Amino acid sequence: MADYEIFSCPQFSNKVLIILFEGVQNNAEIKSELLKGNRDYDYAFVNCDNIASQEQVYSALYKALLDDLLGQTKSKTLHSEIIFDLSPLKNIVESLNKFGISSTSTNIIALKVLSDSQIDNVATYVDNLKQRVKGSVVHFDQANLSRFTNFAQLKKNYKLTNISTEDVEELTRILVGLTQLKGT
Amino acid sequence: MSAELVATAQRHLAGISLEVVSQGAEAIVFTTETHPYLKTKPALVDNKTKFIVKYRPPKPYRHPRLDSQITRSRTASEAKLLQKLLLLGVDAPRLLAMDGTNGIIWMDFVGFTLEDGTVSSLKNWLWLMERRQEAVPEDHAKSIALGAVAEDIMKRVGAMVAQLHLEGIVHGDLTSSNIMLKASKTNEVERPTLIDFGLSSYSGLAEDRAVDLYVLERALTSTHSVYAKEYNGFLVAGYEAAHKLKGKLGAKACTETLRRLEDVRLRGRKRSMLG
């Protein structure tokens, strides 16, 4: 099994590289390099606490790629837009803090949007990422994501505390809807 | 005209094969076997290989700026309502994706194919029942068209409309083709679900609820005239029963709506003489 995944959908030519890391130790370092704008860290780093399923992530990627195509992105880069679309918040900085990498998040999804020409060199981006992130690469699948979900945190951040279910499918439907309706 | 609109929709949805299922004044509805962003099956939807794309094309007679605003807000309000219904636990299509700028909503496909090859809308199913009934002229009790299954389905439809009304939502376009039937595991008709919330709105007025019921009553009378009286009876019975479960307030809302329905029947859907 490959240790990374390439997301694509029929409507867009851009693809997205997805790698899931477990037990990341240098998250403070990554965060500070991100803030410095270091190009080697030009990825979207998503905190797994708030992620229930792959569909939730894919839905945000779709939304970000669509808004990018229509020229309607709200944040500075496409990578911050992905994190912004995952969050239900209106404030971009707050979204990045809660849904992006933070000092407490040790399980992280790294995402990178790649154009057609970049996709040929995908190995470079994967290798670079593995050097920068000190954690073990695990397969991006439902079983691993479920291990990392922090339901209390997720419900708090999505303001779903009145919903008792921890059923991944039920939550996914709600979260997908929230992402798609973002900004309306 | 239609072909032109299909071509525009296809431009916005490159790489996705679309098949027209219906065209209204406001939107064209397509089915497709391609999910907008998933290769695997989406969570918690009945039909995992067929999806609905609803496209609101630009209207050439409107000013372009106004047109894009109207399209955006109508698309968004329909999508928001679908999400609201999901949170309320009301059976309705699930929102998969939305493109407000181009007026596109992706939903899951509800319904299945009936044995006569038509899609399982209430209309098609009732017609199927009527045809089967005609085949047995000696059955004076009309045990097919007015049998237990038909009665149960019509009561459930009434209950579904009541559920919507109790949440302060009116559907706005209740017809027998905007009610789909879902299949049980053995592919038999099991329960109804509402579709097409394009004209839905929030309203606390008995008038709006009564008009909702009236529109459905008229739709049944005109498309299923033979048994319309009985069907409408079942419908109201289901509507009342669902309200009674909500106690005193529910019963009160129900009496108010049904009283208003009688007024509406006398004068028609439009309240003012200007409409």
Side-chain angles (χ1 to χ4, degrees), chain B residues 40 219 225 227:
Chain B
T40 50
S225 48
Y227 308 106

Side-chain angles (χ1 to χ4, degrees), chain B:
Chain B
M1 191 58 188
S2 175
E4 224 171 88
L5 297 179
V6 173
T8 346
Q10 196 67 71
R11 256 206 309 285
H12 296 311
L13 298 163
I16 290 160
S17 78
L18 301 170
E19 200 179 312
V20 183
V21 277
S22 89
Q23 178 174 2
E26 171 91 6
I28 309 182
V29 179
F30 301 96
T31 54
T32 177
E33 285 172 14
T34 318
H35 188 280
Y37 48 85
L38 280 187
K39 289 192 188 74
T40 50
K41 293 163 181 192
L44 218 73
V45 301
D46 290 335
N47 204 318
K48 293 179 188 273
T49 53
K50 208 169 172 190
F51 310 99
I52 292 281
V53 179
K54 184 165 179 179
Y55 171 57
R56 289 180 161 77
K59 297 274 181 246
Y61 52 81
R62 287 198 292 241
H63 187 284
R65 239 144 109 201
L66 178 64
D67 182 62
S68 75
Q69 244 176 54
I70 291 175
T71 304
R72 181 190 301 274
S73 82
R74 289 191 183 162
T75 309
S77 77
E78 184 174 356
K80 277 186 209 163
L81 202 88
L82 293 181
Q83 178 76 356
K84 174 86 183 167
L85 295 173
L86 172 70
L87 289 170
L88 291 172
V90 179
D91 220 341
R94 269 76 193 260
L95 176 67
L96 301 175
M98 188 191 94
D99 173 357
T101 308
N102 294 316
I104 294 166
I105 298 184
W106 289 76
M107 293 171 268
D108 67 322
F109 181 91
V110 276
F112 62 106
T113 308
L114 293 172
E115 58 194 75
D116 62 351
T118 57
V119 73
S120 66
S121 66
L122 180 67
K123 179 168 87 176
N124 288 337
W125 184 72
L126 288 178
W127 276 344
L128 180 67
M129 294 299 116
E130 280 166 37
R131 257 178 287 134
R132 277 203 211 151
Q133 186 67 67
E134 279 164 25
V136 248
E138 64 278 9
D139 175 16
H140 294 297
K142 310 289 178 206
S143 60
I144 299 170
L146 296 176
V149 183
E151 181 175 344
D152 178 56
I153 290 291
M154 292 314 291
K155 281 186 175 167
R156 278 170 189 254
V157 171
M160 280 216 74
V161 178
Q163 194 186 5
L164 216 57
H165 287 178
L166 283 163
E167 299 290 354
I169 300 166
V170 286
H171 183 281
D173 190 17
L174 275 178
T175 62
S176 51
S177 44
N178 279 344
I179 299 166
M180 294 300 272
L181 300 175
K182 286 191 169 182
S184 65
K185 290 223 165 63
T186 52
N187 233 17
E188 277 160 54
V189 169
E190 191 181 53
R191 64 201 156 92
T193 177
L194 301 176
I195 59 163
D196 191 359
F197 291 87
L199 290 170
S200 304
S201 57
Y202 291 92
S203 166
L205 299 176
E207 167 75 19
D208 293 335
R209 296 195 296 268
V211 168
D212 235 10
L213 289 177
Y214 176 72
V215 169
L216 181 55
E217 195 177 274
R218 284 293 295 260
L220 285 174
T221 318
S222 55
T223 41
H224 314 282
S225 48
V226 193
Y227 308 106
K229 199 164 160 265
E230 288 85 352
Y231 290 153
N232 282 323
F234 297 147
L235 200 77
V236 172
Y239 187 80
E240 276 180 310
H243 274 85
K244 292 221 171 87
L245 294 175
K246 292 279 167 183
K248 231 178 194 169
L249 274 175
K252 196 179 153 226
C254 186
T255 340
E256 213 182 322
T257 309
L258 292 179
R259 192 173 301 147
R260 187 55 80 105
L261 178 60
E262 283 166 30
D263 296 349
V264 178
R265 275 189 195 123
L266 291 176
R267 69 168 150 82
R269 183 166 65 87
K270 298 260 197 267
R271 189 188 346 211
S272 77
M273 303 295 281
L274 303 165

Side-chain angles (χ1 to χ4, degrees), chain A residues 36-53:
Chain A
K36 274 189 232 159
N38 186 340
R39 298 293 295 167
D40 287 336
Y41 290 82
D42 188 15
Y43 298 82
F45 293 100
V46 175
N47 180 356
C48 283
D49 287 354
N50 304 308
I51 302 300
S53 68

